[in-house]
Amino acid sequence: MGEEMRAACVIGWPVKHSRSPMIHGYWLKKYGIAGEYRREAVTPEDLSGFVAGLAERGYVGANVTLPHKEAVLRLSVPDARAKAVGAANTLWFEQGALHSTNTDVEGFLGNLDVAAPGWDSGLTTAVVLGAGGSARAILYGLLERGAGRVVLINRTLAKAAALASAFGPRVEASEWSAMPEALGSARLLVNTTSLGMTGQPPLDIDLGTLPRDAAVADIVYAPLVTPLLAQARVRGLPTADGLGMLLHQAVRGFSLWFGITPEVTPDLRALVEADL
Ligand code: ATR
């Protein structure tokens, strides 16, 4: 019908491991869109040239993965989220200019909205474990949703303190040993560390002091049900898993490039889960 073919890609080095082609490929097929989503292996040396030539290569936008998420900020017009997180994972063109954002923020929020509806109403205290790149995106999202106070707990206290000062007075850095007390008043607990991931040490934590109306989220998605989420479920708490966050973070890019806001369905979850 003369419909213009649109293409997007994921830029990384290496890029083989990326699950984005599977997710976007599923949606392209599901919505019957004349589009393509490819992998582009681009070295750090070639990144600026590749990004400068994105439109000439026929791309309407791209995902960006390791190790390029920070470097790409300088090659695009970052939005407030990308600036605050210090990294971007999604690129798109608007009136000829290349823009960037960080969709981990809405991946985290969108996943919790579905998994634990109402989690953000009266969110007086949230506890976040870890102070790396993922924690930045999650802190930004929690403050955006009106969290009164976020207790940021990290093995290396200095990293938590640096993040807390970057995000302002609602974020407090705390020692790992302060966990039981912090959990006592928390409506939400989020693990952003790699603890509990297959091959990593377990996250040794007792949810005994966590209120009965709290929700628990984990960014780890291998295994799908981490020991943290399993413990929360035994206590009857709503949980949001890392796979949900991964799928929800892909929604915005697809809608920017292909013009349809796609749905995260059980079918899509099952497809990606089978590949974990
Ligand atoms: P990401 O981009 O996914 O956030 P990252 O920036 O490497 O990854 O951050 C990993 C986080 O997991 C950090 O907060 C790290 O704690 P440190 O700042 O002390 O390094 C945390 N982490 C990793 N391994 C850990 C372990 N064995 N015990 C406690 N925390 C750990």
Side-chain angles (χ1 to χ4, degrees):
M1 305 283 283
E3 191 184 340
E4 191 194 346
M5 169 77 138
R6 291 175 158 240
C9 63
V10 53
I11 304 168
W13 184 259
V15 76
K16 257 209 326 257
H17 64 278
S18 172
R19 296 209 163 78
S20 296
M22 177 178 269
I23 299 168
H24 292 289
Y26 171 89
W27 282 332
L28 285 169
K29 200 165 155 211
K30 173 173 171 171
Y31 295 107
I33 293 171
E36 257 187 67
Y37 188 97
R38 306 185 199 115
R39 285 188 166 83
E40 292 280 7
V42 178
T43 64
E45 301 74 55
D46 291 342
L47 181 69
S48 59
F50 187 89
V51 170
L54 204 60
E56 287 89 273
R57 287 170 207 275
Y59 288 121
V60 295
N63 281 129
V64 181
T65 187
L66 300 174
H68 303 317
K69 290 197 213 183
E70 288 87 16
V72 83
L73 286 182
R74 294 188 301 278
L75 308 172
S76 58
V77 183
D79 72 357
R81 288 179 171 183
K83 276 191 216 161
V85 176
N89 64 359
T90 302
L91 302 172
W92 77 99
F93 289 99
E94 226 173 273
Q95 290 166 348
L98 186 64
H99 290 257
S100 61
T101 187
N102 190 306
T103 65
D104 286 339
V105 179
E106 59 224 279
F108 170 70
L109 297 174
N111 186 36
L112 260 173
D113 286 341
V114 172
W119 67 274
D120 58 343
S121 66
L123 185 59
T124 43
T125 300
V127 173
V128 174
L129 310 180
S134 308
R136 278 181 168 270
I138 283 162
L139 285 177
Y140 188 89
L142 290 177
L143 296 182
E144 195 183 87
R145 286 295 183 91
R149 169 176 172 252
V150 182
V151 181
L152 183 63
I153 295 178
N154 195 46
R155 174 179 60 182
T156 312
L157 182 61
K159 268 171 75 180
L163 262 194
S165 66
F167 278 90
R170 282 193 283 161
V171 181
E172 280 167 34
S174 219
E175 304 262 9
W176 205 267
S177 59
M179 183 104 62
E181 201 198 325
L183 291 183
S185 58
R187 290 278 326 276
L188 175 72
L189 168 65
V190 187
N191 174 46
T192 80
T193 74
S194 48
L195 294 171
M197 193 187 290
T198 308
Q200 297 292 318
L203 173 57
D204 185 16
I205 182 173
D206 180 359
L207 300 184
T209 56
L210 202 58
R212 285 279 160 203
D213 61 351
V216 177
D218 203 332
I219 70 158
V220 171
Y221 59 82
L224 203 54
V225 182
T226 59
L228 172 69
L229 296 182
Q231 195 187 149
R233 287 180 190 179
V234 166
R235 293 179 57 79
L237 306 176
T239 58
D241 66 18
L243 177 58
M245 179 170 164
L246 174 76
L247 299 176
H248 281 275
Q249 70 74 31
V251 168
R252 178 99 192 283
F254 192 90
S255 102
L256 285 166
W257 309 321
F258 302 116
I260 286 178
T261 302
E263 233 187 312
V264 174
T265 55
D267 271 7
L268 174 60
R269 261 191 80 95
L271 180 76
V272 180
E273 198 180 323
D275 188 58
L276 290 182

